[in-house]
Amino acid sequence: MIHKTAIIDGTAILGDNVSIGAYTVIGKDVVIGKNVIIGSNVFIEHAQIGDNCKVYNSASIGTPPQDLSYNDEPSKVYIGDGTTVREFVTFNRGSKKTGKTVIGKNCYFMTSSHVAHDCRIGDYVIMANCSAAGGHVEIGDNAFISGLVGIHQFVKIGKDTMTGVGAAVTMDIIPYALCAGDRVKLDGLNLVGMKRRKISSMDIDAVKEAYRILFKSKLLLKDALSKLEQIQSVCVKEIIKFVESSKRGLARP
């Protein structure tokens, strides 16, 4: 299952039933799980890849962070089971600040998407063609990042969100929101996505009310959060936790 032109470093650990294509290089400090398919001309180093992943031609995983302060400190990329990495995707390993870049399970990274150093990407995340996450970005589970989206360093994007094509995301996006535009603004809630995840109608109504209180009531943020605390919903509690942890500030309608 390993092409004769592939180069495998002696330190690499390969699981059962791994396939590696022509002219691929597996460098130092690599662990690859079972049933993984790796295409041709792929470069992988300092990475741990879970089971049942697919890495297509010319992807680059575990290369040094594009961080001028980085001085070859030990760091790594971690990729969860079932994730697909399409052509020309790039994942940089962590910087000295956290030492790791983490990609969740069952994600799908389309052609030429990029995840920079120290990012935390949740499960079932989709990043479409030519989207890019800067250093230390956090993206929650089930988020959909459309093509040509640029995400500023340290931005947090909540779970079950959808970011429109070509958006420039410079502020944090609350869970369950739709957002779009240059210097992104919220554009309502990702109701279709919530229904697909089988979120209950009661929780969807609660999130609608939370959105109204946060962004349309003209309350101060601390007063809006106090009102949200009175809503009995797991989804609203997710929003409260997200807002309280935001450091860059929230994108708004």
Side-chain angles (χ1 to χ4, degrees), residues 92-105:
N92 294 151
R93 63 183 186 261
S95 72
K96 63 183 179 182
K97 294 175 183 175
T98 75
K100 59 186 177 181
T101 299
V102 180
I103 312 289
K105 298 178 181 179

Side-chain angles (χ1 to χ4, degrees), residues 104 121-125 139-144 157-161 197:
I121 310 297
D123 299 336
Y124 295 95
V125 170
I139 301 177
D141 296 347
N142 301 303
F144 185 96
I157 296 179
K159 64 182 294 187
D160 292 294
T161 52
R197 312 273 186 265

Side-chain angles (χ1 to χ4, degrees), residues 30-47:
V30 172
V31 178
I32 297 175
K34 62 185 179 183
N35 303 318
V36 173
I37 299 173
I38 299 173
S40 62
N41 295 293
V42 174
F43 183 84
I44 302 174
E45 65 178 1
H46 301 287

Side-chain angles (χ1 to χ4, degrees), residues 62-246:
T63 49
Q66 297 175 92
D67 181 337
L68 296 177
S69 68
Y70 182 70
N71 192 27
D72 206 29
E73 293 88 359
S75 61
K76 205 161 187 172
V77 170
Y78 296 87
I79 300 174
D81 297 345
T83 286
T84 297
V85 180
R86 291 301 302 261
E87 298 85 352
F88 303 104
V89 168
T90 53
F91 293 160
N92 294 151
R93 63 183 186 261
S95 72
K96 63 183 179 182
K97 294 175 183 175
T98 75
K100 59 186 177 181
T101 299
V102 180
I103 312 289
K105 298 178 181 179
N106 299 303
C107 296
Y108 197 102
F109 295 87
M110 298 185 193
T111 300
S112 298
S113 54
H114 171 68
V115 176
H117 58 88
D118 305 290
C119 285
R120 302 291 186 269
I121 310 297
D123 299 336
Y124 295 95
V125 170
I126 296 174
M127 290 185 67
N129 302 63
C130 300
S131 56
H136 301 272
V137 162
E138 297 181 27
I139 301 177
D141 296 347
N142 301 303
F144 185 96
I145 311 297
S146 296
L148 300 168
V149 169
I151 307 171
H152 195 281
Q153 299 98 312
F154 294 97
V155 158
K156 293 175 62 180
I157 296 179
K159 64 182 294 187
D160 292 294
T161 52
M162 184 170 185
T163 303
V165 64
V169 186
T170 58
M171 306 289 278
D172 295 343
I173 309 298
I174 64 165
Y176 312 109
L178 296 173
C179 60
D182 182 11
R183 301 304 180 270
V184 73
K185 292 180 173 58
L186 299 190
D187 193 22
L189 293 168
N190 187 16
L191 298 176
V192 172
M194 294 175 75
K195 290 172 183 175
R196 285 176 178 169
R197 312 273 186 265
K198 303 190 183 310
I199 292 173
S200 72
S201 58
M202 290 182 62
D203 277 323
I204 290 174
D205 288 342
V207 170
K208 288 179 180 177
E209 178 63 8
Y211 187 91
R212 185 194 67 78
I213 292 169
L214 275 173
F215 301 117
K216 298 183 178 181
S217 66
K218 298 184 179 179
L219 291 171
L220 294 174
L221 183 59
K222 64 181 180 65
D223 297 328
L225 287 173
S226 293
K227 279 190 169 291
L228 263 58
E229 294 279 4
Q230 300 169 25
I231 300 174
Q232 298 301 309
S233 166
V234 172
C235 295
V236 174
K237 292 187 187 306
E238 287 271 358
I239 293 172
I240 294 168
K241 182 179 177 181
F242 183 94
V243 171
E244 290 177 339
S245 68
S246 175

